[in-house]
Amino acid sequence: MSRVLESLAVGRVIGEVVDNFTPSVKMNVTYNSNKQVYNGHELMPAVILAKPRVEIGGDDMRAAYTLIMTDPDAPSPSDPYLREHLHWIVTDIPGTTDVSFGREIVSYETPKPVIGIHRYVFILFKQKARQTVNPPDSRDHFNTRNFAQENDLGSPVAVVYFNAQRETAARRR
């Protein structure tokens, strides 16, 4: 198992959010132009206020991708009864570019973890065709697997996640 898949399995992203898959596209997620997302690393809430820059290293400019960002730990990791909470969906993203060239069908919602350490997961799918992905009915109780099946997206081609927790006064600098 690759290190990427191993870290996703250890973080329970594989299993709770997606099934095992074969990564086939590079995806870089960066907040504030200098805070890159790495599996399992923590980002402070102040850093994740604005939507990140997401670059896709696909091999075909004619390909289209869908990016989903969810929180499988809402409202708290010990009782995630809103699992998954949807934070963002961008579709029709051209390969070899960044997400800003795609079509945002669910606007970016700033993560605001209140209780415990939350995982925020970015899942990238390769679409079979453009203009084929429909927005979900709700942000709460979102299910990445069901959404992928309903929109004929297949397995993910890239996944990355970070952790965040509420910033207490003692942790602020």
Side-chain angles (χ1 to χ4, degrees), residues 8-73:
L8 292 170
V10 168
R12 298 179 338 274
V13 171
I14 292 177
E16 291 184 7
V17 181
V18 297
D19 294 321
N20 209 354
F21 69 100
T22 303
S24 58
V25 173
K26 271 188 85 146
M27 175 174 64
N28 288 318
V29 180
T30 310
Y31 279 95
N32 288 347
S33 71
N34 67 346
K35 296 285 187 193
Q36 186 160 349
V37 172
Y38 294 103
N39 286 331
H41 287 222
E42 184 174 356
L43 294 177
M44 297 293 134
V47 172
I48 55 180
L49 293 174
K51 69 175 98 170
R53 177 176 174 86
V54 181
E55 298 170 313
I56 298 169
D59 56 2
D60 181 2
M61 191 60 183
R62 295 175 307 232
Y65 294 90
T66 292
L67 176 74
I68 297 170
M69 179 186 176
T70 71
D71 173 1
D73 300 316

Side-chain angles (χ1 to χ4, degrees), residues 72-99:
D73 300 316
S76 79
S78 60
D79 186 18
Y81 65 85
L82 296 177
R83 173 179 292 164
E84 301 165 46
H85 182 79
L86 179 63
H87 282 270
W88 196 24
I89 297 182
V90 183
T91 66
D92 300 328
I93 306 162
T96 69
T97 187
D98 72 62
V99 170

Side-chain angles (χ1 to χ4, degrees), residues 153-166:
L153 295 172
S155 292
V157 294
V159 176
V160 67
Y161 81 101
F162 68 91
N163 296 322
Q165 61 184 309
R166 184 170 169 224

